[in-house]
Amino acid sequence: MTSGKDFFLERYRKLGQKFSPQAVKLSKTIRVNPLVKPEKEVLERLQAIGVKLKRIPYVKHGYAAESRFSLGAITEHLLGFYYLQDPSSQFAVEVLDPKPGELVLDMAAAPGGKTTYCSQLMNNEGTVVALEMKNHRLPSLMMNLERMQSNNVLAYFLDAREVSKLGLKFDKILLDAPCSGNFATDKDWFEKRDIHGIKKSAEIQRKLLSVAVSMLKQNGVLVYSTCSLEPEENELNIQWLLEQHNVELEHIECSVASRALTGVFVKKLYSSISRCLRFWPHRTNTQGFFIAKVKLK
Amino acid sequence: MKTFIEKFAPQLRFEGEIVEVDKHYFLLGAGMEKVEEEVRTSSQLKPCYSGIYLGRSKKEKFYPSSWLLQQAAKLSDKKAVVNSKAEWMLICGKDVWGENIVSSTIDSGDVLILNKHNECIGYGVIEHRGKRKYIRRLFDIGDLLRREHLRKL
């Protein structure tokens, strides 16, 4: 057996996690955008129209939001006051910590949630180079950049594997890699995925990781993230990265996340991989997620 | 874009280079210009999005960005404020009828449309049908969603 719900749940059990997927219920969450409107005003506006907000403590601008109407269909959303975004995704950008004046690369940008958060944390100063290789995803990216008033972005229609063509080196690189996803955000995930597809995905991710490392300035930071729970796309890729490149991992801390795995099935990995983080949906109430922070040695 | 600015905010000035990409207009600041030039020299690649988005033109009509709308509204003396009901109708692509116009600085002609929070949500033309005043919608910020929806079809 290489696919199906039982197959994957048994894998997770072997990784130390026993749970029922039905028990996972994600809240709607937003990231407030002070580039357009001060945070306090956004909160007051939303509360005045009946949106119930609860602060998410481990991210800087994140709130769980409850409303009787769609949060994507009101003026406040159209004007860019907030972005509907999972807290794990928000956290990945906070780990990257892009600063005003820096040159930042977002290797797989569409639809723009993390790109726009980079602009926000940079206060629209410096430059974000955003790449997207799928033509049909470019309109969403451009729409979100416009809506969120991300004014420091240069977006290119380019396969991130060819990023060396740009002739630049970056202070910060975000590789939120295309991956197989997770069951928390896709109710048909268990039926759609199999181990062969996951391994293929991991091969592409390794190519992207190699290229990303080559584009870093000497004191630059690379954040590698996926919304996958599969160790082939996460810890095993980081193990490979540490074996193949002269890089090291930086410790990341988050009150709700779990340490990444240093033992995957029968394989023992470098202990430094525990510096990375995993978001298990049944523990964090977020999508499945993995984050690693990498620096050149 | 020139016509839009001349109509509503002729005193508006931009710092930086205005760049056009397939009828989309951007304002590129000095720091970003340098990065863009380095990329172009190295790869011949041109960005599909560069800096501050100003808007797009299609079939002689200009569709301003939200950023440009807000900049124009700060300077313009041609504004109408509408109530919440009209705000919702407008972003669904509808005209605004007289009873929903809270105030306006002019009685007829081109006007920027603001909500009760003084945020610009579109522009149109104040006209009269008999004794009834209304704003014929030319553009609203709901265009963002409608464009994305059309592209997905």
Side-chain angles (χ1 to χ4, degrees), chain A residues 37 41 45 72-79 81 103 126-129 138-147 149-158 164-168, chain B residues 24 26-28 31-32 35-36 38-39 42-43 45-53 64-67 70 87-88 91 115 117 119-121 141-142 144-145 147-148 151-152:
Chain A
K37 189 69 83 176
E41 274 185 57
R45 280 275 286 270
I74 56 175
T75 311
E76 287 78 5
H77 184 252
L78 289 173
L79 286 171
F81 289 9
L103 182 58
T127 303
V128 180
V129 173
L138 279 174
S140 299
L141 173 62
M142 291 170 62
M143 187 273 280
N144 281 316
L145 294 175
E146 177 190 344
R147 187 174 66 81
Q149 293 192 28
S150 295
N151 295 337
N152 68 338
V153 178
L154 292 170
Y156 293 89
F157 174 43
L158 182 68
S164 60
K165 280 183 181 174
L166 300 180
L168 299 170
Chain B
H24 292 264
F26 300 89
L27 179 62
L28 198 55
M32 291 181 67
V35 174
E36 196 272 324
E38 277 183 53
V39 171
S42 172
S43 64
L45 282 170
K46 288 182 187 169
C48 54
Y49 194 100
S50 323
I52 299 174
Y53 185 56
S65 68
S66 181
W67 183 88
Q70 308 317 319
E87 177 182 357
W88 176 250
I91 65 172
N115 63 13
H117 302 285
E119 290 144 1
C120 190
I121 52 174
I141 58 172
L144 267 174
L145 281 184
R147 251 190 284 154
E148 209 202 355
R151 283 199 185 100
K152 281 179 182 166

Side-chain angles (χ1 to χ4, degrees), chain A residues 105-133:
Chain A
L105 174 65
D106 184 348
M107 292 177 71
K114 296 181 186 71
T115 324
T116 55
Y117 198 16
C118 285
S119 295
Q120 181 178 326
L121 293 177
M122 295 164 77
N123 200 30
N124 268 336
E125 294 166 36
T127 303
V128 180
V129 173
L131 306 182
E132 178 50 48
M133 66 178 275

Side-chain angles (χ1 to χ4, degrees), chain B residues 37-75:
Chain B
E37 200 185 315
E38 277 183 53
V39 171
R40 205 168 1 101
T41 306
S42 172
S43 64
Q44 312 302 308
L45 282 170
K46 288 182 187 169
C48 54
Y49 194 100
S50 323
I52 299 174
Y53 185 56
L54 299 173
R56 65 190 172 105
S57 56
K58 188 178 176 184
K59 292 182 185 171
E60 314 278 312
K61 193 172 165 189
F62 180 67
Y63 301 81
S65 68
S66 181
W67 183 88
L68 185 58
L69 279 175
Q70 308 317 319
Q71 300 307 307
K74 283 179 200 168
L75 301 170

